[in-house]
Amino acid sequence: MNSAADHTSTAPVLVVHDLVKRFGDTVAVGDMSIDVERGEIVALLGPSGCGKTTTLRLLAGFERPDNGSVLIGGETVVDSQTWRPPERRRIGIVQQDFALFPHLSVGENIAFGLTGGHRAWWTRPWRRFGRTEVPARVQEMLSLVGLDGFAHRFPHELSGGEAQRVALARALAPEPAAVLLDEPFSNLDQNLRASLRVTMRAILKAADTAAVFVTHDREEALSLADRVAVMRQGRIEQIGSPDDIYYRPQSRFIGSFVGDANIVPGRRSRGGAETELGYVLLDDAPSAQEGESLDLLLRPEQLALKLADPGQAEAANVISSEYYGHDQVVRVRMASGREIEVRLSTDVVYRIDDAVEVVVLGDGIAFPR
Ligand code: ATP
């Protein structure tokens, strides 16, 4: 779990207000507002087509909004009277495919945005770097991303993870107010992603810039971001810390989208709910009506299994088991026919058809039915 952003200034460097973008009848982005502080990492998370990429393109200046405003580094870059093209916004961009220049060395790739003479569309030298300062800045960026000694390599001589870090170094070199990252891990090997997320977070924190990244991968969002904005149909449905989003989702959609979830019907009773899994405590408003029907969201890791006593009425049966080494996911069928997913340590291995009892370990999250 991430702590709050470790930075001193709390003034937002990226302020998005009521942003709207339509394509014909499709509202790709509707009334989007969000502030991002210096040193803060925000993830835009959501299913395909929810408007993540369009939001990033609006911030970058690759699309014009139909309404709303964007302020970057204290300057309005777009509103009803203002339009600044990408190269005049204080942003750095890391593209999905990293977009390194194949014919330039790593050092030249990083230096490219610093000299400004090329009008690079993704970045401009916000801090003026004299020609004599460029080599030192390139070296500083290589150290920041842990690639000392790589200046003379060419992109084809880099691993995917190294190419990602060069793209990040190039985006950060001109000291942008904000860096925008489009699905930065999607081109990388699945096994590498977890360690690269840790590296990416450390680099962004050290650079102390605001960062917004787009992803449809919930693990990526929860592990890398200080705040996660969950989008649906062009709107932010909830924004909060990874912990908030995961354990206090404001809707069934968010609860199910950000993690594996069992939805179990229940009836409110004495501050909790009676369900087919037994009595479950609820972490919500005590003002709710006794007897009210509701749906409970229970994460698989909030559940445990016990082998049932022989002949125990209402026992559930194991229908599948997936072994992952560090844990296992066991699916059981309740007497009602409902299937429940349980994530467990591997000290007890369950077999198909074992009769078991499901035990609820934590509070449930309630949604009205
Ligand atoms: P994905 O994860 O699949 O990339 P996304 O969340 O990034 O999806 P967007 O690409 O922002 O979603 O698209 C949002 C909506 O706007 C979709 O319905 C898409 O079809 C539509 N859209 C995006 N760009 C255009 C365009 N240039 N012309 C018409 N419709 C578009």
Side-chain angles (χ1 to χ4, degrees), residues 196-232:
L196 290 173
R197 290 199 292 259
V198 176
T199 309
M200 164 88 78
R201 183 172 161 85
I203 295 168
L204 289 171
K205 287 294 171 187
D208 200 24
T209 180
V212 176
F213 77 99
V214 155
T215 182
H216 57 261
D217 181 325
R218 61 203 190 188
E219 270 187 25
E220 209 165 283
L222 295 174
S223 61
L224 181 56
D226 298 306
R227 282 190 300 153
V228 178
V230 186
M231 291 186 67
R232 187 187 196 191

PDB file of all heavy atoms in Angstrom, residues 196-232:
ATOM      1  N   LEU A 196       9.204  -3.550 -12.413  1.00  0.00           N
ATOM      2  CA  LEU A 196       9.332  -2.265 -13.103  1.00  0.00           C
ATOM      3  C   LEU A 196       8.391  -1.204 -12.522  1.00  0.00           C
ATOM      4  O   LEU A 196       8.692  -0.022 -12.551  1.00  0.00           O
ATOM      5  CB  LEU A 196       9.085  -2.435 -14.600  1.00  0.00           C
ATOM      6  CG  LEU A 196      10.202  -3.200 -15.312  1.00  0.00           C
ATOM      7  CD1 LEU A 196       9.818  -3.487 -16.758  1.00  0.00           C
ATOM      8  CD2 LEU A 196      11.502  -2.415 -15.270  1.00  0.00           C
ATOM      9  N   ARG A 197       7.268  -1.651 -11.965  1.00  0.00           N
ATOM     10  CA  ARG A 197       6.358  -0.688 -11.324  1.00  0.00           C
ATOM     11  C   ARG A 197       7.040  -0.025 -10.137  1.00  0.00           C
ATOM     12  O   ARG A 197       6.913   1.180  -9.935  1.00  0.00           O
ATOM     13  CB  ARG A 197       5.088  -1.408 -10.845  1.00  0.00           C
ATOM     14  CG  ARG A 197       4.193  -1.870 -11.960  1.00  0.00           C
ATOM     15  CD  ARG A 197       2.800  -2.122 -11.452  1.00  0.00           C
ATOM     16  NE  ARG A 197       2.696  -3.244 -10.566  1.00  0.00           N
ATOM     17  CZ  ARG A 197       2.243  -4.459 -10.916  1.00  0.00           C
ATOM     18  NH1 ARG A 197       1.866  -4.682 -12.160  1.00  0.00           N
ATOM     19  NH2 ARG A 197       2.147  -5.428 -10.042  1.00  0.00           N
ATOM     20  N   VAL A 198       7.772  -0.817  -9.368  1.00  0.00           N
ATOM     21  CA  VAL A 198       8.470  -0.281  -8.202  1.00  0.00           C
ATOM     22  C   VAL A 198       9.512   0.736  -8.674  1.00  0.00           C
ATOM     23  O   VAL A 198       9.639   1.835  -8.119  1.00  0.00           O
ATOM     24  CB  VAL A 198       9.141  -1.425  -7.401  1.00  0.00           C
ATOM     25  CG1 VAL A 198       9.944  -0.890  -6.244  1.00  0.00           C
ATOM     26  CG2 VAL A 198       8.093  -2.412  -6.922  1.00  0.00           C
ATOM     27  N   THR A 199      10.251   0.378  -9.720  1.00  0.00           N
ATOM     28  CA  THR A 199      11.284   1.266 -10.261  1.00  0.00           C
ATOM     29  C   THR A 199      10.658   2.561 -10.778  1.00  0.00           C
ATOM     30  O   THR A 199      11.135   3.657 -10.487  1.00  0.00           O
ATOM     31  CB  THR A 199      12.021   0.558 -11.430  1.00  0.00           C
ATOM     32  OG1 THR A 199      12.430  -0.716 -10.981  1.00  0.00           O
ATOM     33  CG2 THR A 199      13.198   1.352 -11.908  1.00  0.00           C
ATOM     34  N   MET A 200       9.576   2.414 -11.530  1.00  0.00           N
ATOM     35  CA  MET A 200       8.914   3.588 -12.121  1.00  0.00           C
ATOM     36  C   MET A 200       8.420   4.529 -11.022  1.00  0.00           C
ATOM     37  O   MET A 200       8.587   5.743 -11.103  1.00  0.00           O
ATOM     38  CB  MET A 200       7.742   3.110 -12.986  1.00  0.00           C
ATOM     39  CG  MET A 200       6.740   4.170 -13.359  1.00  0.00           C
ATOM     40  SD  MET A 200       7.148   5.037 -14.847  1.00  0.00           S
ATOM     41  CE  MET A 200       6.646   3.883 -16.096  1.00  0.00           C
ATOM     42  N   ARG A 201       7.833   3.986  -9.972  1.00  0.00           N
ATOM     43  CA  ARG A 201       7.334   4.810  -8.879  1.00  0.00           C
ATOM     44  C   ARG A 201       8.488   5.581  -8.216  1.00  0.00           C
ATOM     45  O   ARG A 201       8.387   6.769  -7.949  1.00  0.00           O
ATOM     46  CB  ARG A 201       6.588   3.935  -7.862  1.00  0.00           C
ATOM     47  CG  ARG A 201       5.971   4.736  -6.745  1.00  0.00           C
ATOM     48  CD  ARG A 201       5.066   3.913  -5.850  1.00  0.00           C
ATOM     49  NE  ARG A 201       4.890   4.623  -4.600  1.00  0.00           N
ATOM     50  CZ  ARG A 201       3.995   5.572  -4.394  1.00  0.00           C
ATOM     51  NH1 ARG A 201       3.159   5.921  -5.361  1.00  0.00           N
ATOM     52  NH2 ARG A 201       3.923   6.190  -3.242  1.00  0.00           N
ATOM     53  N   ALA A 202       9.617   4.875  -7.986  1.00  0.00           N
ATOM     54  CA  ALA A 202      10.769   5.515  -7.334  1.00  0.00           C
ATOM     55  C   ALA A 202      11.308   6.650  -8.213  1.00  0.00           C
ATOM     56  O   ALA A 202      11.641   7.729  -7.713  1.00  0.00           O
ATOM     57  CB  ALA A 202      11.846   4.476  -7.066  1.00  0.00           C
ATOM     58  N   ILE A 203      11.353   6.432  -9.526  1.00  0.00           N
ATOM     59  CA  ILE A 203      11.884   7.464 -10.437  1.00  0.00           C
ATOM     60  C   ILE A 203      10.964   8.685 -10.438  1.00  0.00           C
ATOM     61  O   ILE A 203      11.414   9.829 -10.337  1.00  0.00           O
ATOM     62  CB  ILE A 203      12.047   6.906 -11.873  1.00  0.00           C
ATOM     63  CG1 ILE A 203      13.110   5.803 -11.900  1.00  0.00           C
ATOM     64  CG2 ILE A 203      12.395   8.025 -12.846  1.00  0.00           C
ATOM     65  CD1 ILE A 203      13.150   4.993 -13.195  1.00  0.00           C
ATOM     66  N   LEU A 204       9.661   8.446 -10.536  1.00  0.00           N
ATOM     67  CA  LEU A 204       8.717   9.571 -10.580  1.00  0.00           C
ATOM     68  C   LEU A 204       8.762  10.360  -9.270  1.00  0.00           C
ATOM     69  O   LEU A 204       8.679  11.588  -9.267  1.00  0.00           O
ATOM     70  CB  LEU A 204       7.296   9.082 -10.865  1.00  0.00           C
ATOM     71  CG  LEU A 204       7.058   8.575 -12.288  1.00  0.00           C
ATOM     72  CD1 LEU A 204       5.681   7.915 -12.403  1.00  0.00           C
ATOM     73  CD2 LEU A 204       7.192   9.705 -13.313  1.00  0.00           C
ATOM     74  N   LYS A 205       8.895   9.646  -8.150  1.00  0.00           N
ATOM     75  CA  LYS A 205       8.970  10.327  -6.849  1.00  0.00           C
ATOM     76  C   LYS A 205      10.249  11.151  -6.769  1.00  0.00           C
ATOM     77  O   LYS A 205      10.234  12.277  -6.282  1.00  0.00           O
ATOM     78  CB  LYS A 205       8.914   9.301  -5.708  1.00  0.00           C
ATOM     79  CG  LYS A 205       7.544   8.694  -5.519  1.00  0.00           C
ATOM     80  CD  LYS A 205       6.565   9.757  -5.054  1.00  0.00           C
ATOM     81  CE  LYS A 205       5.151   9.267  -5.047  1.00  0.00           C
ATOM     82  NZ  LYS A 205       4.174  10.329  -4.749  1.00  0.00           N
ATOM     83  N   ALA A 206      11.360  10.591  -7.249  1.00  0.00           N
ATOM     84  CA  ALA A 206      12.637  11.320  -7.202  1.00  0.00           C
ATOM     85  C   ALA A 206      12.571  12.552  -8.104  1.00  0.00           C
ATOM     86  O   ALA A 206      13.139  13.598  -7.780  1.00  0.00           O
ATOM     87  CB  ALA A 206      13.775  10.401  -7.630  1.00  0.00           C
ATOM     88  N   ALA A 207      11.873  12.453  -9.224  1.00  0.00           N
ATOM     89  CA  ALA A 207      11.768  13.593 -10.145  1.00  0.00           C
ATOM     90  C   ALA A 207      10.814  14.655  -9.605  1.00  0.00           C
ATOM     91  O   ALA A 207      10.842  15.800 -10.043  1.00  0.00           O
ATOM     92  CB  ALA A 207      11.291  13.107 -11.517  1.00  0.00           C
ATOM     93  N   ASP A 208       9.947  14.296  -8.661  1.00  0.00           N
ATOM     94  CA  ASP A 208       9.046  15.234  -7.998  1.00  0.00           C
ATOM     95  C   ASP A 208       8.154  15.988  -8.989  1.00  0.00           C
ATOM     96  O   ASP A 208       7.932  17.186  -8.863  1.00  0.00           O
ATOM     97  CB  ASP A 208       9.861  16.220  -7.156  1.00  0.00           C
ATOM     98  CG  ASP A 208       8.998  16.888  -6.093  1.00  0.00           C
ATOM     99  OD1 ASP A 208       7.970  16.308  -5.709  1.00  0.00           O
ATOM    100  OD2 ASP A 208       9.337  18.011  -5.668  1.00  0.00           O
ATOM    101  N   THR A 209       7.660  15.275  -9.975  1.00  0.00           N
ATOM    102  CA  THR A 209       6.755  15.882 -10.953  1.00  0.00           C
ATOM    103  C   THR A 209       5.362  15.270 -10.766  1.00  0.00           C
ATOM    104  O   THR A 209       5.242  14.202 -10.185  1.00  0.00           O
ATOM    105  CB  THR A 209       7.279  15.593 -12.382  1.00  0.00           C
ATOM    106  OG1 THR A 209       6.406  16.180 -13.321  1.00  0.00           O
ATOM    107  CG2 THR A 209       7.368  14.116 -12.669  1.00  0.00           C
ATOM    108  N   ALA A 210       4.347  15.964 -11.246  1.00  0.00           N
ATOM    109  CA  ALA A 210       3.011  15.355 -11.240  1.00  0.00           C
ATOM    110  C   ALA A 210       2.968  14.307 -12.349  1.00  0.00           C
ATOM    111  O   ALA A 210       3.537  14.531 -13.415  1.00  0.00           O
ATOM    112  CB  ALA A 210       1.945  16.415 -11.491  1.00  0.00           C
ATOM    113  N   ALA A 211       2.331  13.192 -12.093  1.00  0.00           N
ATOM    114  CA  ALA A 211       2.262  12.151 -13.125  1.00  0.00           C
ATOM    115  C   ALA A 211       0.845  11.632 -13.241  1.00  0.00           C
ATOM    116  O   ALA A 211       0.176  11.386 -12.239  1.00  0.00           O
ATOM    117  CB  ALA A 211       3.226  11.013 -12.801  1.00  0.00           C
ATOM    118  N   VAL A 212       0.392  11.475 -14.490  1.00  0.00           N
ATOM    119  CA  VAL A 212      -0.918  10.863 -14.749  1.00  0.00           C
ATOM    120  C   VAL A 212      -0.682   9.707 -15.703  1.00  0.00           C
ATOM    121  O   VAL A 212      -0.060   9.893 -16.751  1.00  0.00           O
ATOM    122  CB  VAL A 212      -1.886  11.869 -15.409  1.00  0.00           C
ATOM    123  CG1 VAL A 212      -3.214  11.189 -15.750  1.00  0.00           C
ATOM    124  CG2 VAL A 212      -2.120  13.065 -14.500  1.00  0.00           C
ATOM    125  N   PHE A 213      -1.116   8.519 -15.321  1.00  0.00           N
ATOM    126  CA  PHE A 213      -0.959   7.404 -16.254  1.00  0.00           C
ATOM    127  C   PHE A 213      -2.268   6.668 -16.449  1.00  0.00           C
ATOM    128  O   PHE A 213      -3.119   6.617 -15.577  1.00  0.00           O
ATOM    129  CB  PHE A 213       0.195   6.482 -15.863  1.00  0.00           C
ATOM    130  CG  PHE A 213      -0.077   5.542 -14.720  1.00  0.00           C
ATOM    131  CD1 PHE A 213      -0.417   4.221 -14.970  1.00  0.00           C
ATOM    132  CD2 PHE A 213       0.012   5.971 -13.414  1.00  0.00           C
ATOM    133  CE1 PHE A 213      -0.640   3.335 -13.928  1.00  0.00           C
ATOM    134  CE2 PHE A 213      -0.214   5.107 -12.359  1.00  0.00           C
ATOM    135  CZ  PHE A 213      -0.544   3.795 -12.609  1.00  0.00           C
ATOM    136  N   VAL A 214      -2.372   6.137 -17.660  1.00  0.00           N
ATOM    137  CA  VAL A 214      -3.580   5.452 -18.087  1.00  0.00           C
ATOM    138  C   VAL A 214      -3.341   3.951 -18.033  1.00  0.00           C
ATOM    139  O   VAL A 214      -2.289   3.478 -18.469  1.00  0.00           O
ATOM    140  CB  VAL A 214      -3.892   5.886 -19.542  1.00  0.00           C
ATOM    141  CG1 VAL A 214      -4.696   4.843 -20.257  1.00  0.00           C
ATOM    142  CG2 VAL A 214      -4.599   7.216 -19.558  1.00  0.00           C
ATOM    143  N   THR A 215      -4.284   3.224 -17.486  1.00  0.00           N
ATOM    144  CA  THR A 215      -4.153   1.763 -17.476  1.00  0.00           C
ATOM    145  C   THR A 215      -5.519   1.106 -17.364  1.00  0.00           C
ATOM    146  O   THR A 215      -6.466   1.715 -16.863  1.00  0.00           O
ATOM    147  CB  THR A 215      -3.251   1.297 -16.316  1.00  0.00           C
ATOM    148  OG1 THR A 215      -3.110  -0.121 -16.370  1.00  0.00           O
ATOM    149  CG2 THR A 215      -3.811   1.664 -14.955  1.00  0.00           C
ATOM    150  N   HIS A 216      -5.612  -0.138 -17.865  1.00  0.00           N
ATOM    151  CA  HIS A 216      -6.824  -0.894 -17.561  1.00  0.00           C
ATOM    152  C   HIS A 216      -6.487  -2.040 -16.620  1.00  0.00           C
ATOM    153  O   HIS A 216      -7.306  -2.902 -16.361  1.00  0.00           O
ATOM    154  CB  HIS A 216      -7.504  -1.381 -18.842  1.00  0.00           C
ATOM    155  CG  HIS A 216      -6.596  -2.222 -19.685  1.00  0.00           C
ATOM    156  ND1 HIS A 216      -5.929  -1.712 -20.762  1.00  0.00           N
ATOM    157  CD2 HIS A 216      -6.218  -3.488 -19.568  1.00  0.00           C
ATOM    158  CE1 HIS A 216      -5.169  -2.660 -21.293  1.00  0.00           C
ATOM    159  NE2 HIS A 216      -5.328  -3.758 -20.578  1.00  0.00           N
ATOM    160  N   ASP A 217      -5.235  -2.034 -16.113  1.00  0.00           N
ATOM    161  CA  ASP A 217      -4.748  -3.095 -15.235  1.00  0.00           C
ATOM    162  C   ASP A 217      -4.858  -2.635 -13.788  1.00  0.00           C
ATOM    163  O   ASP A 217      -4.152  -1.727 -13.345  1.00  0.00           O
ATOM    164  CB  ASP A 217      -3.296  -3.389 -15.620  1.00  0.00           C
ATOM    165  CG  ASP A 217      -2.684  -4.493 -14.778  1.00  0.00           C
ATOM    166  OD1 ASP A 217      -3.012  -4.596 -13.585  1.00  0.00           O
ATOM    167  OD2 ASP A 217      -1.861  -5.243 -15.319  1.00  0.00           O
ATOM    168  N   ARG A 218      -5.752  -3.277 -13.026  1.00  0.00           N
ATOM    169  CA  ARG A 218      -6.030  -2.786 -11.674  1.00  0.00           C
ATOM    170  C   ARG A 218      -4.820  -2.917 -10.752  1.00  0.00           C
ATOM    171  O   ARG A 218      -4.581  -2.049  -9.914  1.00  0.00           O
ATOM    172  CB  ARG A 218      -7.226  -3.542 -11.096  1.00  0.00           C
ATOM    173  CG  ARG A 218      -7.016  -5.021 -10.966  1.00  0.00           C
ATOM    174  CD  ARG A 218      -8.326  -5.740 -10.950  1.00  0.00           C
ATOM    175  NE  ARG A 218      -8.154  -7.145 -10.583  1.00  0.00           N
ATOM    176  CZ  ARG A 218      -9.109  -8.045 -10.643  1.00  0.00           C
ATOM    177  NH1 ARG A 218     -10.303  -7.701 -11.068  1.00  0.00           N
ATOM    178  NH2 ARG A 218      -8.901  -9.272 -10.286  1.00  0.00           N
ATOM    179  N   GLU A 219      -4.034  -3.998 -10.926  1.00  0.00           N
ATOM    180  CA  GLU A 219      -2.848  -4.160 -10.063  1.00  0.00           C
ATOM    181  C   GLU A 219      -1.862  -3.037 -10.310  1.00  0.00           C
ATOM    182  O   GLU A 219      -1.251  -2.517  -9.385  1.00  0.00           O
ATOM    183  CB  GLU A 219      -2.148  -5.483 -10.377  1.00  0.00           C
ATOM    184  CG  GLU A 219      -2.668  -6.614  -9.555  1.00  0.00           C
ATOM    185  CD  GLU A 219      -1.852  -7.876  -9.754  1.00  0.00           C
ATOM    186  OE1 GLU A 219      -0.664  -7.798 -10.117  1.00  0.00           O
ATOM    187  OE2 GLU A 219      -2.427  -8.950  -9.571  1.00  0.00           O
ATOM    188  N   GLU A 220      -1.710  -2.671 -11.569  1.00  0.00           N
ATOM    189  CA  GLU A 220      -0.797  -1.599 -11.936  1.00  0.00           C
ATOM    190  C   GLU A 220      -1.246  -0.295 -11.270  1.00  0.00           C
ATOM    191  O   GLU A 220      -0.448   0.422 -10.686  1.00  0.00           O
ATOM    192  CB  GLU A 220      -0.886  -1.447 -13.452  1.00  0.00           C
ATOM    193  CG  GLU A 220       0.342  -0.954 -14.117  1.00  0.00           C
ATOM    194  CD  GLU A 220       0.176  -1.227 -15.601  1.00  0.00           C
ATOM    195  OE1 GLU A 220       0.350  -2.393 -16.005  1.00  0.00           O
ATOM    196  OE2 GLU A 220      -0.184  -0.296 -16.340  1.00  0.00           O
ATOM    197  N   ALA A 221      -2.534  -0.009 -11.357  1.00  0.00           N
ATOM    198  CA  ALA A 221      -3.070   1.230 -10.780  1.00  0.00           C
ATOM    199  C   ALA A 221      -2.907   1.231  -9.261  1.00  0.00           C
ATOM    200  O   ALA A 221      -2.428   2.207  -8.675  1.00  0.00           O
ATOM    201  CB  ALA A 221      -4.549   1.378 -11.151  1.00  0.00           C
ATOM    202  N   LEU A 222      -3.265   0.135  -8.608  1.00  0.00           N
ATOM    203  CA  LEU A 222      -3.245   0.097  -7.142  1.00  0.00           C
ATOM    204  C   LEU A 222      -1.819   0.148  -6.608  1.00  0.00           C
ATOM    205  O   LEU A 222      -1.566   0.725  -5.556  1.00  0.00           O
ATOM    206  CB  LEU A 222      -3.954  -1.164  -6.626  1.00  0.00           C
ATOM    207  CG  LEU A 222      -5.456  -1.266  -6.927  1.00  0.00           C
ATOM    208  CD1 LEU A 222      -6.000  -2.624  -6.498  1.00  0.00           C
ATOM    209  CD2 LEU A 222      -6.248  -0.163  -6.244  1.00  0.00           C
ATOM    210  N   SER A 223      -0.869  -0.449  -7.335  1.00  0.00           N
ATOM    211  CA  SER A 223       0.482  -0.524  -6.784  1.00  0.00           C
ATOM    212  C   SER A 223       1.329   0.691  -7.131  1.00  0.00           C
ATOM    213  O   SER A 223       2.294   0.984  -6.445  1.00  0.00           O
ATOM    214  CB  SER A 223       1.180  -1.791  -7.273  1.00  0.00           C
ATOM    215  OG  SER A 223       1.291  -1.767  -8.671  1.00  0.00           O
ATOM    216  N   LEU A 224       1.000   1.403  -8.191  1.00  0.00           N
ATOM    217  CA  LEU A 224       1.866   2.506  -8.633  1.00  0.00           C
ATOM    218  C   LEU A 224       1.334   3.878  -8.207  1.00  0.00           C
ATOM    219  O   LEU A 224       2.112   4.797  -7.943  1.00  0.00           O
ATOM    220  CB  LEU A 224       2.000   2.437 -10.166  1.00  0.00           C
ATOM    221  CG  LEU A 224       2.854   3.452 -10.882  1.00  0.00           C
ATOM    222  CD1 LEU A 224       4.270   3.467 -10.330  1.00  0.00           C
ATOM    223  CD2 LEU A 224       2.915   3.128 -12.371  1.00  0.00           C
ATOM    224  N   ALA A 225       0.033   4.026  -8.104  1.00  0.00           N
ATOM    225  CA  ALA A 225      -0.534   5.375  -7.941  1.00  0.00           C
ATOM    226  C   ALA A 225      -0.721   5.765  -6.474  1.00  0.00           C
ATOM    227  O   ALA A 225      -0.907   4.920  -5.602  1.00  0.00           O
ATOM    228  CB  ALA A 225      -1.882   5.435  -8.652  1.00  0.00           C
ATOM    229  N   ASP A 226      -0.662   7.078  -6.206  1.00  0.00           N
ATOM    230  CA  ASP A 226      -1.074   7.610  -4.898  1.00  0.00           C
ATOM    231  C   ASP A 226      -2.594   7.687  -4.848  1.00  0.00           C
ATOM    232  O   ASP A 226      -3.199   7.478  -3.809  1.00  0.00           O
ATOM    233  CB  ASP A 226      -0.515   9.020  -4.697  1.00  0.00           C
ATOM    234  CG  ASP A 226       0.997   9.019  -4.698  1.00  0.00           C
ATOM    235  OD1 ASP A 226       1.567   8.255  -3.914  1.00  0.00           O
ATOM    236  OD2 ASP A 226       1.596   9.769  -5.493  1.00  0.00           O
ATOM    237  N   ARG A 227      -3.188   8.065  -6.009  1.00  0.00           N
ATOM    238  CA  ARG A 227      -4.653   8.086  -6.108  1.00  0.00           C
ATOM    239  C   ARG A 227      -5.058   7.425  -7.410  1.00  0.00           C
ATOM    240  O   ARG A 227      -4.364   7.557  -8.421  1.00  0.00           O
ATOM    241  CB  ARG A 227      -5.186   9.531  -6.079  1.00  0.00           C
ATOM    242  CG  ARG A 227      -5.198  10.125  -4.677  1.00  0.00           C
ATOM    243  CD  ARG A 227      -5.950  11.439  -4.647  1.00  0.00           C
ATOM    244  NE  ARG A 227      -5.356  12.422  -5.542  1.00  0.00           N
ATOM    245  CZ  ARG A 227      -6.027  13.410  -6.109  1.00  0.00           C
ATOM    246  NH1 ARG A 227      -7.337  13.549  -5.905  1.00  0.00           N
ATOM    247  NH2 ARG A 227      -5.407  14.273  -6.902  1.00  0.00           N
ATOM    248  N   VAL A 228      -6.185   6.757  -7.344  1.00  0.00           N
ATOM    249  CA  VAL A 228      -6.701   6.066  -8.530  1.00  0.00           C
ATOM    250  C   VAL A 228      -8.047   6.707  -8.880  1.00  0.00           C
ATOM    251  O   VAL A 228      -8.913   6.843  -8.008  1.00  0.00           O
ATOM    252  CB  VAL A 228      -6.902   4.563  -8.245  1.00  0.00           C
ATOM    253  CG1 VAL A 228      -7.485   3.851  -9.457  1.00  0.00           C
ATOM    254  CG2 VAL A 228      -5.589   3.912  -7.815  1.00  0.00           C
ATOM    255  N   ALA A 229      -8.183   7.134 -10.137  1.00  0.00           N
ATOM    256  CA  ALA A 229      -9.473   7.637 -10.618  1.00  0.00           C
ATOM    257  C   ALA A 229     -10.096   6.530 -11.456  1.00  0.00           C
ATOM    258  O   ALA A 229      -9.561   6.169 -12.510  1.00  0.00           O
ATOM    259  CB  ALA A 229      -9.281   8.897 -11.457  1.00  0.00           C
ATOM    260  N   VAL A 230     -11.200   5.953 -10.984  1.00  0.00           N
ATOM    261  CA  VAL A 230     -11.851   4.886 -11.751  1.00  0.00           C
ATOM    262  C   VAL A 230     -12.851   5.534 -12.690  1.00  0.00           C
ATOM    263  O   VAL A 230     -13.756   6.262 -12.250  1.00  0.00           O
ATOM    264  CB  VAL A 230     -12.560   3.868 -10.834  1.00  0.00           C
ATOM    265  CG1 VAL A 230     -13.102   2.705 -11.669  1.00  0.00           C
ATOM    266  CG2 VAL A 230     -11.612   3.331  -9.770  1.00  0.00           C
ATOM    267  N   MET A 231     -12.668   5.303 -13.990  1.00  0.00           N
ATOM    268  CA  MET A 231     -13.532   5.929 -14.999  1.00  0.00           C
ATOM    269  C   MET A 231     -14.540   4.928 -15.548  1.00  0.00           C
ATOM    270  O   MET A 231     -14.265   3.728 -15.663  1.00  0.00           O
ATOM    271  CB  MET A 231     -12.692   6.469 -16.157  1.00  0.00           C
ATOM    272  CG  MET A 231     -11.845   7.664 -15.767  1.00  0.00           C
ATOM    273  SD  MET A 231     -11.024   8.360 -17.225  1.00  0.00           S
ATOM    274  CE  MET A 231     -12.409   9.003 -18.153  1.00  0.00           C
ATOM    275  N   ARG A 232     -15.698   5.463 -15.887  1.00  0.00           N
ATOM    276  CA  ARG A 232     -16.728   4.666 -16.545  1.00  0.00           C
ATOM    277  C   ARG A 232     -17.539   5.599 -17.427  1.00  0.00           C
ATOM    278  O   ARG A 232     -17.956   6.663 -16.946  1.00  0.00           O
ATOM    279  CB  ARG A 232     -17.635   4.053 -15.484  1.00  0.00           C
ATOM    280  CG  ARG A 232     -18.628   3.077 -16.029  1.00  0.00           C
ATOM    281  CD  ARG A 232     -19.558   2.673 -14.922  1.00  0.00           C
ATOM    282  NE  ARG A 232     -20.301   1.494 -15.248  1.00  0.00           N
ATOM    283  CZ  ARG A 232     -21.321   1.056 -14.536  1.00  0.00           C
ATOM    284  NH1 ARG A 232     -21.692   1.688 -13.449  1.00  0.00           N
ATOM    285  NH2 ARG A 232     -21.960  -0.011 -14.906  1.00  0.00           N
TER     286      ARG A 232
END
